[in-house]
Amino acid sequence: MSLMPAAVLFDFDGTLIDSAPDILTGINRLLDEEDLPNLDLAQVHQFIGDGAPMLVTRTFAAVGRPLDPDSVPAMTDRYMAIYEALPADPSCVFPGVAETLATLSADIPLALVTNKPERATHAVLEAIGLAPYFKAVVGGDTLPTRKPHPGPLLHAMAHLAAAPGKTIMVGDGANDVTAGRAAGCQVVCVTYGYPRMPVEQLGADRLVDHFRDLPSALADLAAG
């Protein structure tokens, strides 16, 4: 393989997998339990990316019953129990992801840095067959901080013994770019995820339309 970064960190939802349909199913089952109206897929796209407590908080605000902050943890736990009980569908993996991760992981260490809770992340990774490609997994509840804070990225890089200046973050939204910049990494964004703003405005170093194009973008950035 041509010149490549020392390590690559990946976001999960919207970058490697199209998790929105399962998240929608889980959140609507929670709303059904509370006799509240359901969300649609477009709304869920806007609520993904900042962790489960924020997803639940935004959901209840959207349906007209804002949660008291003290009730968010219990409602989040209930949502996660529903979500984790859903069977993960391998078809949620975006095209080209498995093959590209297999190629990259043969030569450089990879880590997953997501705001999804760690236990759910491991369960989904195992179910869809992507777990073997990652030497480290940092979830939204692994540390006291989550993206856009750089802490999770720095934690993953320490585990991989990779210097920030030689590590590239791959994601789909502002949290990934902000965290990557603060951690001292270059950033690649995919254009098909859940960015909540035009992806061209995120400020990534490179954009890729298809995951299979990632290796060439990584090599280009590593070459300077």
Side-chain angles (χ1 to χ4, degrees), residues 98-165:
E99 303 91 327
T100 302
L101 291 178
T103 299
L104 291 173
S105 65
D107 293 288
I108 53 179
L110 311 180
L112 193 68
V113 183
T114 174
N115 282 345
K116 184 189 290 293
E118 185 178 345
R119 186 176 71 182
T121 298
H122 280 290
V124 174
L125 282 173
E126 290 288 346
I128 63 179
L130 298 185
Y133 303 128
F134 297 102
K135 293 186 178 297
V137 174
V138 183
D141 54 357
T142 303
L143 303 171
T145 59
R146 59 169 64 98
K147 298 180 295 182
H149 193 281
L153 281 67
L154 295 170
H155 183 78
M157 286 185 280
H159 187 88
L160 301 180

Side-chain angles (χ1 to χ4, degrees), residues 24-71:
L24 178 65
T25 297
I27 209 70
N28 279 342
R29 288 184 182 178
L30 177 64
L31 292 172
D32 287 342
E33 289 183 357
E34 299 294 317
D35 294 319
L36 291 169
N38 283 192
L39 300 184
D40 60 32
L41 193 59
Q43 288 173 297
V44 165
H45 278 162
Q46 295 300 305
F47 296 167
I48 294 173
D50 295 308
M54 186 59 70
L55 168 69
V56 169
T57 299
R58 288 170 174 160
T59 292
F60 277 78
V63 298
R65 203 186 85 185
L67 292 174
D68 180 279
D70 291 340
S71 66

Side-chain angles (χ1 to χ4, degrees), residues 158-189:
H159 187 88
L160 301 180
K166 296 187 177 182
T167 299
I168 296 176
M169 176 70 201
V170 180
D172 73 315
N175 283 344
D176 302 307
V177 177
T178 301
R181 290 277 180 262
C185 304
Q186 293 178 296
V187 183
V188 175
C189 278

